[in-house]
């Protein structure tokens, strides 16, 4: 730390992103990326947009907003695009949380929530998941704080139903409820339609998972126009050109290729089901994941040991070294070929360990 670093950040523990190794050709199942390339229109339109990079991008993202409003069936002033959904989440923490609006989220969830709270000096409460890793929606009903819930949750992949989320939103009319739908396209149900019924619901989403644009950095928030107006105030006070021209064009192209995206989601769900069966046959215990990852533990094998040995064999999975998670690993659902390699190496590891 330099002697110039502001004291207010001195104790900040930043988020640790999953490894992005350059050295070996890993089978990379650690950061929930898509195994499929971006859609054909996304690639073509991003390349075309590169020819105009001398010009700033459109701060209003008009083409993208217009197309997205159509696809998500909302009005154009009910959606805001950001540099990944990490940015919309940070904007939402800045806009809707403070000393008098503390934030609450599950103790096991996306690790960045805690960082955003700490970064912005927001008091936060973590509510423990049940023993089986499910969220008890009653814990959040009438809690009177800003609520953040990933649905499906990470790293468990477990979903709450629309009815359960609606109860939480309805019972906290004076607080914003943020539903992070980063993984909703792999078997969950989006609560976007509820934004027309509740002015305190903000839904966030990303193009990083099923839309194959993790490297493009494109996320969004959907809510009533007043919420989106507040988030725009934050955006225009930090970085008005937060979406670069190539990503904006890639976003439009992706939304033109929804059939391609839906087909990829179907494939990932099929591969997930197949992988789950294989893992169960090997004795693994799994949550009922509706995301593009699997959360698994073996009763007789240490989670960290599995992770380290898999890495040595060229397969990267994600291990979280925290008390409630260290027996588990989170495994991204890749292509069928990638999962075959994963299972082959996992069999070897189990033979070594058991
Ligand atoms: N929400 C959840 C639950 C996530 O796991 C992630 C990242 N993997 C994000 C949001 C942020 O994704 P991105 O910034 O790539 O949109």
């Amino acid at each position: 730390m330099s002697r110039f670093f502001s004291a207010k950040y001195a104790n900040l523990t930043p988020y640790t992103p999953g490894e992005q190794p350059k050295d070996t050709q890993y089978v990379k199942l650690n950061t929930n990326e898509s195994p499929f390339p971006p859609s054909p229109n996304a690639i073509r339109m991003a390349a075309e947009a590169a020819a105009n990079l001398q010009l700033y991008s459109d701060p209003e993202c008009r083409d993208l907003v217009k197309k997205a409003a159509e696809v998500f069936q909302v009005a154009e002033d009910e959606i805001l695009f950001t540099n990944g959904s990490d940015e919309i989440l940070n904007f939402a923490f800045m806009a809707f949380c403070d000393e008098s609006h503390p934030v609450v989220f599950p103790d096991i969830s996306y690790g960045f929530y805690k960082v955003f709270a700490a970064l912005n000096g927001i008091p936060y409460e973590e509510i423990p998941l049940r023993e089986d890793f499910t969220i008890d929606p009653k814990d959040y009903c009438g809690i009177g704080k800003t609520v953040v819930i990933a649905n499906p949750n990470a790293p468990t992949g477990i979903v709450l139903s629309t009815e359960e989320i609606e109860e939480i939103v309805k019972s906290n009319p004076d607080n914003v409820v943020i539903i992070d739908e980063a993984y909703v396209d792999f078997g969950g149900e989006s609560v976007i339609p509820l934004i027309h019924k509740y002015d305190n619901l903000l839904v966030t989403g990303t193009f990083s998972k099923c839309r194959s644009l993790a490297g493009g950095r494109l996320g969004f928030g959907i809510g009533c126009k007043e919420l989106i107006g507040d988030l725009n105030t934050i955006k225009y006070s930090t970085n008005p050109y937060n979406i670069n021209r190539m990503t904006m064009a890639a976003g439009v192209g992706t939304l033109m290729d929804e059939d391609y995206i839906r087909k990829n989601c179907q494939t990932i769900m099929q591969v997930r089901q197949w992988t789950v069966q294989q893992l169960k046959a090997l004795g693994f215990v799994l949550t009922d994941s509706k995301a593009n990852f699997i959360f698994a533990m073996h009763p007789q094998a240490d989670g960290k040991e599995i992770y380290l040995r898999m890495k040595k064999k060229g397969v990267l999975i994600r291990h979280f070294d925290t008390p409630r998670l260290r027996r588990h690993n989170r495994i991204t659902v890749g292509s069928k070929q990638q999962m075959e390699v994963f299972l082959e190496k996992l069999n070897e590891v189990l033979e070594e360990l058991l």
Side-chain angles (χ1 to χ4, degrees):
M1 192 193 309
S2 82
R3 63 203 163 87
F4 307 104
F5 196 41
S6 168
K8 68 179 182 235
Y9 299 127
N11 293 321
L12 191 63
T13 310
Y15 177 71
T16 315
E19 299 162 79
Q20 297 289 355
K22 287 262 172 295
D23 50 350
T24 329
Q25 272 296 32
Y26 281 100
V27 173
K28 198 171 169 304
L29 305 175
N30 67 329
T31 48
N32 302 338
E33 290 138 330
S34 174
F36 304 110
S39 83
N41 273 317
I43 295 173
R44 179 183 57 81
M45 290 170 72
E48 283 166 15
N52 283 320
L53 281 179
Q54 75 280 16
L55 301 174
Y56 281 113
S57 57
D58 172 12
E60 292 173 45
C61 302
R62 278 165 295 188
D63 293 346
L64 184 54
V65 164
K66 189 158 180 283
K67 189 74 196 146
E70 232 174 85
V71 171
F72 296 119
Q73 302 199 342
V74 295
E76 291 179 21
D77 54 7
E78 291 171 334
I79 184 161
L80 168 68
F81 278 94
T82 52
N83 193 311
S85 58
D86 284 336
E87 189 176 51
I88 190 82
L89 288 165
N90 189 36
F91 285 179
F93 273 71
M94 291 171 79
F96 307 123
C97 309
D98 54 32
E99 284 286 332
S100 51
H101 302 86
V103 60
V104 60
F105 40 80
D107 66 335
I108 295 172
S109 192
Y110 184 33
F112 227 137
Y113 302 152
K114 217 191 293 192
V115 181
F116 290 138
L119 176 70
N120 295 301
I122 299 158
Y124 65 91
E125 181 191 347
E126 295 175 280
I127 300 188
L129 295 183
R130 295 184 184 116
E131 206 46 48
D132 64 355
F133 293 112
T134 55
I135 291 175
D136 184 348
K138 285 200 291 304
D139 288 342
Y140 298 86
C141 286
I143 196 160
K145 295 179 179 173
T146 304
V147 174
V148 187
I149 292 178
N151 194 47
N153 197 14
T156 64
I158 298 172
V159 288
L160 286 178
S161 69
T162 296
E163 293 72 34
E164 289 170 318
I165 290 174
E166 183 163 9
E167 272 313 304
I168 296 170
V169 176
K170 204 197 305 186
S171 65
N172 288 290
D174 297 324
N175 289 90
V176 175
V177 175
I178 302 161
I179 302 297
D180 174 350
E181 294 191 344
Y183 300 105
V184 79
D185 300 282
F186 305 100
E189 189 185 3
S190 175
V191 293
I192 289 174
L194 291 183
I195 64 130
H196 297 123
K197 206 165 158 191
Y198 300 99
D199 67 356
N200 63 326
L201 172 63
L202 178 72
V203 181
T204 65
T206 182
F207 279 45
S208 297
K209 313 299 174 186
C210 72
R211 296 192 167 82
S212 301
L213 282 187
R217 311 304 300 127
L218 190 60
F220 59 89
I222 293 183
C224 72
K225 71 172 196 273
E226 290 77 14
L227 288 187
I228 296 302
D230 297 339
L231 291 162
N232 262 312
T233 301
I234 304 287
K235 164 182 150 153
Y236 281 90
S237 307
T238 48
N239 185 9
Y241 307 107
N242 59 342
I243 313 295
N244 71 73
R245 277 180 171 269
M246 291 184 293
T247 294
M248 212 180 301
V252 175
T254 303
L255 292 169
M256 287 161 59
D257 287 332
E258 275 291 288
D259 289 350
Y260 172 79
I261 303 302
R262 292 301 131 214
K263 188 171 110 315
N264 289 347
C265 287
Q266 287 303 327
T267 307
I268 286 170
M269 287 189 274
Q270 282 158 10
V271 175
R272 178 180 69 204
Q273 197 183 357
W274 176 79
T275 311
V276 163
Q277 283 162 1
Q278 307 298 310
L279 286 172
K280 281 187 178 162
L282 291 172
F284 279 87
V285 177
L286 307 123
T287 53
D288 181 18
S289 174
K290 296 278 187 276
N292 67 337
F293 54 79
I294 289 163
F295 187 58
M297 70 92 132
H298 197 287
Q300 280 107 43
D302 180 66
K304 187 164 189 178
E305 202 53 43
I306 293 178
Y307 155 74
L308 289 171
R309 285 173 189 248
M310 290 296 282
K311 187 171 175 184
K312 272 209 188 111
K313 291 178 189 288
V315 179
L316 267 189
I317 55 178
R318 188 89 195 253
H319 182 260
F320 300 92
D321 210 350
T322 62
R324 271 187 90 183
L325 299 181
R326 65 170 55 108
R327 302 202 54 201
H328 288 73
N329 281 293
R330 190 195 69 189
I331 305 127
T332 302
V333 179
S335 64
K336 182 88 185 288
Q337 293 88 319
Q338 285 178 312
M339 300 325 276
E340 280 164 359
V341 177
F342 160 75
L343 286 161
E344 181 195 318
K345 302 294 175 194
L346 185 63
N347 264 300
E348 291 173 18
V349 167
L350 290 181
E351 262 169 44
E352 292 163 17
L353 290 176
L354 300 181

